[in-house]
Amino acid sequence: MAKVDNLDLKILTELSNDASVSVPKLSEKINENSSVVYSRINRLVKKNLIERFTIDVNDKELGYTVKSLTGINMDSKQRSVIIEELFKVPGVREVSEVTGRFDMLVTMYARNLSEMHQLISEKIGKITGIIGSESFIEM
C-alpha cells in the first residue's frame, strides 16, 4: 500500500471532483506552490494512485434519458463470449461481475423506454449463454 500524506489526499480529492482543473488553479485552491502540486501529481501517477484522468458524459444532453441496471445470470462456460457480445450492444456502458443473486450487472442507457425494452429483449436477451435477466430502470 502506497504512503500518502494530507497534501496527496487534498490533491486526490480535488482531482476526483474535477480532473480537468489546471495545476495553477488547483495550487491556488489548496494553497500550495504549483511546482509542488505538479510533482506530487506526477508521483501519484507513477505510484498508480491515479490510474487515469477521465470525464463524466452528460447522457441527458446526448438524448439518453433512460438508465438501466440489468442483472444477468449466465452459463459461466460462455463468460468471455457473453462479455464480448454485451459490449457490442449500443448503450452498454459498463459490465461488472458481481456476487449474489446475479452473475453480472450491466449499466446501459437508451433514449426512451421503448428503446430500452428493445435493447434488453432483442439484443441482450438473444445473447447465447444468458440464462435470464432482470432490469431496474433508474427513476
Side-chain angles (χ1 to χ4, degrees):
M1 184 160 71
K3 290 185 179 181
V4 295
D5 61 15
N6 285 338
L7 179 56
D8 291 333
L9 291 175
K10 284 181 187 177
I11 291 169
L12 290 169
T13 299
E14 293 300 324
L15 289 175
S16 293
N17 291 331
D18 182 5
S20 71
V21 67
S22 68
V23 171
K25 284 187 180 181
L26 176 57
S27 301
E28 185 180 313
K29 191 169 186 178
I30 64 174
N31 198 26
E32 190 61 59
N33 184 294
S34 289
S35 61
V36 171
V37 171
Y38 182 77
S39 65
R40 288 291 187 107
I41 291 171
N42 283 333
R43 185 173 61 86
L44 292 168
V45 169
K46 285 179 185 170
K47 289 187 172 191
N48 289 325
L49 287 162
I50 297 174
E51 292 182 326
R52 64 189 174 113
F53 296 88
T54 187
I55 61 168
D56 285 329
V57 175
N58 186 335
D59 292 296
K60 288 185 179 160
E61 287 296 317
L62 290 173
Y64 296 99
T65 60
V66 179
K67 178 181 178 183
S68 169
L69 277 176
T70 299
I72 292 178
N73 293 314
M74 66 174 178
D75 175 355
S76 59
K77 294 176 194 139
Q78 304 272 343
R79 178 189 166 277
S80 58
V81 173
I82 291 169
I83 292 171
E84 186 178 314
E85 290 300 312
L86 284 170
F87 278 115
K88 291 179 183 177
V89 175
V92 169
R93 298 286 172 79
E94 187 175 330
V95 176
S96 302
E97 290 187 81
V98 296
T99 60
R101 181 171 153 188
F102 300 107
D103 299 316
M104 294 181 182
L105 283 177
V106 178
T107 303
M108 50 194 215
Y109 291 84
R111 287 186 164 71
N112 53 52
L113 284 172
S114 177
E115 183 179 299
M116 183 63 75
H117 175 74
Q118 180 183 20
L119 290 173
I120 293 166
S121 62
E122 295 179 20
K123 301 286 186 189
I124 290 179
K126 293 188 178 174
I127 295 174
T128 303
I130 290 182
I131 296 167
S133 69
E134 184 175 348
S135 295
F136 304 90
I137 304 296
E138 186 175 280
M139 303 295 279

